[in-house]
Amino acid sequence: MVRYKTRYMILEITPHKNNDKLLSLKATALQDAIQQKVQTMFGDFGVAAIKAAFRSRYCNTHTKIAMIKAGHGPHKFLLRAIPLINDISGRHVKISILYVGATMKHCFLFIRKHQEKKLEQIWASLRTETERKEMEKVLMTLTPAMKDFISK
């Protein structure tokens, strides 16, 4: 039996307007935007290549971090198409690829370190201890899947 290799990409999605309150980041909207961009750049061949293993695995609306999964090989189509996406369900955004990894565990560890750095930056601007605890709760919330990978 042949091993099926995958790649996981960590994306940071920032709205063009900083005064936007909360970017409602849904996995289906992200997947649709990526597939549309691959369709325009690579046509039917590109969409068929990525479709087998392409999934959005994690989306956090507070930190604007998302993780997608793709097959090894076709992930190169995504690496070229994702930075060029500027619209997700009618909202103008900029997408940056932060990390590409082979396992979910390493991706979740990267997300945790990235969120800890963000938390340290935000803590300097917060005045009270309750604000700091609320921000820590929002930024460091882990999905049940992440908790299973990180605790091991």
Side-chain angles (χ1 to χ4, degrees):
M1 178 180 254
V2 178
R3 181 174 162 222
Y4 188 70
K5 295 181 180 182
T6 58
R7 292 293 177 255
Y8 297 91
M9 290 169 241
I10 307 298
L11 311 174
E12 183 177 37
I13 302 164
T14 55
H16 279 287
K17 296 179 183 176
N18 288 335
N19 59 0
D20 286 345
K21 291 182 181 177
L22 191 64
L23 179 66
S24 60
L25 183 62
K26 295 185 179 176
T28 56
L30 179 63
Q31 280 183 235
D32 292 342
I34 292 171
Q35 283 183 350
Q36 287 174 359
K37 185 53 88 172
V38 170
Q39 174 71 36
T40 58
M41 290 180 69
F42 303 106
D44 291 337
F45 176 76
V47 173
I50 68 164
K51 226 169 189 155
F54 180 59
R55 301 280 180 270
S56 180
R57 303 297 292 177
Y58 171 76
C59 291
N60 189 332
T61 58
H62 297 289
T63 58
K64 299 173 186 77
I65 299 287
M67 181 171 69
I68 60 171
K69 172 187 169 185
H72 185 270
H75 78 285
K76 293 177 185 176
F77 292 127
L78 297 174
L79 289 175
R80 291 185 188 107
I82 288 172
L84 302 176
I85 295 172
N86 57 9
D87 181 53
I88 296 178
S89 57
R91 308 261 328 252
H92 293 289
V93 296
K94 179 187 175 209
I95 300 180
S96 307
I97 299 173
L98 299 178
Y99 180 75
V100 178
T103 64
M104 284 181 74
K105 180 179 180 179
H106 284 126
C107 290
F108 284 138
L109 290 172
F110 176 83
I111 289 172
R112 190 175 75 185
K113 286 179 187 177
H114 180 74
Q115 288 175 344
E116 286 172 355
K117 287 178 189 176
K118 287 258 187 191
L119 184 63
E120 289 175 8
Q121 292 171 355
I122 293 173
W123 268 11
S125 66
L126 298 176
R127 295 184 182 130
T128 65
E129 190 63 33
T130 57
E131 289 177 341
R132 289 180 177 175
K133 288 189 184 220
E134 287 177 19
M135 187 57 66
E136 182 178 15
K137 183 180 176 185
V138 168
L139 284 180
M140 299 309 292
T141 358
L142 304 175
T143 62
M146 285 178 73
K147 288 179 184 177
D148 291 343
F149 279 106
I150 293 175
S151 64
K152 292 180 181 179

